[in-house]
Structures are given as C-alpha cells and as structure tokens.
Amino acid sequence: DQLQSYEFEKVFPGCRIIDIHEFLMEKGVRLEGVTGTRYMYHEPCHTPMKTYASSKAVNTLMNEELNGRVDKNDRCCGESGTLAVSRPDISTQVRFRKEEEMRRGADALRALPVKAASAASVPAPAPAAFDGPVKILTSCPSCLQGLSRYEGDTGVQADYIVGEMARHLLGEGWMADYVRRANDGGIERGLG
C-alpha cells in the first residue's frame, strides 16, 4: 500500500507495482502435481493483491484443477499490525473466533472423500475420509505469525502461498539453497 504513493511510474515509465503472487500467476507459475495436502486461504485485512482477486490468484497458483479448490477461511487472525500488542484483550477474542473458523474449515476439508483409483471391472470402494495434512495459506507476514499460533490447537499449519509453492517446485531445502547462493556472491552479481 505504501509503495503505491511513491509514484514510481514517473521515474520508471511503464513500471507497475504488483504482488509476487499476481506476478507468478501472470508468468504461468503454478503447482503441477497433486501435493497430498488440502488447503484453505486466509485473506489478510490489508491484502497485498491489488490487480486480481486473491481467490483467483491462490487457486491458479495452487492449481485448482489438480489439487482442488482453495476456499477462503473467514475471520481476522487477530494480529493486525500492533493490535495483538496494543489491545491483547480484543485480539484474544478475535483469535478465539478465528480458531473456531480454522477448525471448521479443516474439518470440512478432512470430510471430503479421497478419490480412490480402481480398475474398470472392479467396483470402487467407498471413499475414505482425508487424513493428510491441512494447511492455511496467506500472503501477509503478520497474518502468518498470527496463524502459526493456532497450529497446536487446530492441527493446521500456516505458510505463505509462495513458500508452499517453493517447497513443491524447488524442493524442501529451497531457502537454505537460496541463502547459500546469495552468500556466495549472488547478491553482488545481481547488483553489479
């Protein structure tokens, strides 16, 4: 939001400010395989996605056709900048409602049947309930911090959308690899 007021287009004609998720969506980056995880999305109160609807971006990036629809999980997470510090009494009440919503969302995802593969001549068994991991994705660092607090109580892990994508597209050690390359002269080469 703050960068919008800098008027970069006056300095760099034709440039635009775009959120990383929208940028990746425009470039056609998305998960290509089924992850074995079910997802829900937490919309930040101050969403960084301004060009496209966040639900379109999330579902395109997470590849709705292969991995299933990622629905929005309602309610504020209770972090909201300094709310958790300045008004813990209000923030705690907001968190209780978000925890309820996360449990409800996770229960709904787990209740969806698992698609069973079967041969054409063999009757398909009754679909089983999903018992794999459920994650809540967001695009805000403050929200990620707030959502991470619920993991022990809800069994739902929080992550950035791009973090989840990077893990699947670049491998489990993607961040350590990036830091190693950056520390090995990568930043200087990029700036030079």
Side-chain angles (χ1 to χ4, degrees):
D1 288 340
Q2 186 62 38
L3 291 176
Q4 298 293 335
S5 67
Y6 285 16
E7 300 179 344
F8 284 119
E9 65 280 354
K10 289 182 179 176
V11 179
F12 305 104
C15 80
R16 62 190 178 128
I17 298 171
I18 187 169
D19 180 70
I20 184 66
H21 303 94
E22 296 168 318
F23 176 78
L24 292 171
M25 186 180 82
E26 285 183 0
K27 296 297 180 188
V29 177
R30 65 187 191 153
L31 291 184
E32 292 299 332
V34 176
T35 67
T37 301
R38 294 203 174 157
Y39 301 100
M40 53 187 153
Y41 172 65
H42 172 78
E43 177 88 67
C45 294
H46 303 284
T47 183
M49 294 187 224
K50 308 288 189 214
T51 306
Y52 301 97
S54 59
S55 61
K56 176 179 174 43
V58 172
N59 279 290
T60 300
L61 294 171
M62 299 308 292
N63 199 341
E64 178 178 0
E65 295 81 29
L66 289 177
N67 295 312
R69 178 144 185 85
V70 179
D71 289 321
K72 187 166 81 169
N73 184 261
D74 288 330
R75 304 282 181 194
C76 175
C77 65
E79 286 300 310
S80 186
T82 60
L83 175 66
V85 175
S86 62
R87 290 302 308 261
D89 54 333
I90 295 172
S91 179
T92 298
Q93 292 305 309
V94 171
R95 283 190 188 126
F96 284 140
R97 292 303 305 269
K98 182 62 179 183
E99 182 178 331
E100 286 176 9
E101 203 60 36
M102 284 177 66
R103 285 179 198 270
R104 191 177 357 262
D107 289 347
L109 287 171
R110 289 185 178 109
L112 293 172
V114 176
K115 295 177 187 170
S118 65
S121 62
V122 179
F130 179 75
D131 65 353
V134 173
K135 291 187 176 183
I136 189 163
L137 303 175
T138 191
S139 57
C140 169
S142 184
C143 292
L144 180 62
Q145 178 178 324
L147 296 168
S148 295
R149 298 174 197 236
Y150 302 109
E151 186 173 349
D153 294 324
T154 64
V156 175
Q157 184 182 4
D159 203 351
Y160 290 116
I161 302 162
V162 293
E164 184 70 5
M165 292 179 68
R167 210 172 347 283
H168 289 284
L169 296 172
L170 303 174
E172 204 55 50
W174 71 272
M175 190 179 295
D177 292 343
Y178 171 79
V179 170
R180 183 183 37 72
R181 286 193 314 269
N183 286 335
D184 191 25
I187 293 174
E188 289 77 11
R189 280 194 302 268
L191 295 175

